[in-house]
Amino acid sequence: PPIAFYSADLLDQQLDIATRGFMETNTTYHSVKDEVEVSKILFWFKGDFDGTQGILKLLDSSGLIPKNSKPKIVYTDYDWTISLSNYVE
């Protein structure tokens, strides 16, 4: 994960950093097609984001799509594999 250790007094800030990093890494906006590719995780937890409109609001407030736009959302496959080299010394 982007943040290996969390601190109780900094938890909100650390989670914001992790969220921002994940969203920036896994979001691609295509202006010509007026669509945005996002991780399938957002689809799986769409209810937690208040549906499609909530996802668009998150992308808008994060600056990942143009202000007040409503592009088509395309959900990309989630890669369940991990690189063990990140965890082996």
Side-chain angles (χ1 to χ4, degrees):
I3 300 173
F5 300 97
Y6 293 92
S7 167
D9 55 331
L10 298 174
L11 183 60
D12 287 337
Q13 295 160 319
Q14 292 171 322
L15 290 174
D16 285 345
I17 291 168
T19 300
R20 203 170 27 255
F22 176 82
M23 293 297 293
E24 288 173 358
T25 302
N26 293 283
T27 302
T28 305
Y29 175 69
H30 302 283
S31 60
V32 173
K33 296 190 238 178
D34 193 31
E35 69 181 29
V36 61
E37 293 179 14
V38 298
S39 172
K40 190 93 168 201
I41 289 175
L42 295 177
F43 176 76
W44 294 328
F45 296 97
K46 192 179 345 185
D48 294 337
F49 296 101
D50 201 21
T52 300
Q53 295 308 311
I55 292 171
L56 289 172
K57 191 175 188 179
L58 173 66
L59 294 168
D60 181 55
S61 68
S62 301
L64 297 170
I65 60 174
K67 279 286 181 210
N68 302 314
S69 67
K70 304 246 188 274
K72 175 184 175 186
I73 298 176
V74 176
Y75 298 97
T76 59
D77 290 334
Y78 185 75
D79 183 1
W80 289 94
T81 62
I82 60 170
S83 173
L84 292 179
S85 62
N86 292 334
Y87 301 99
V88 178
E89 295 179 4

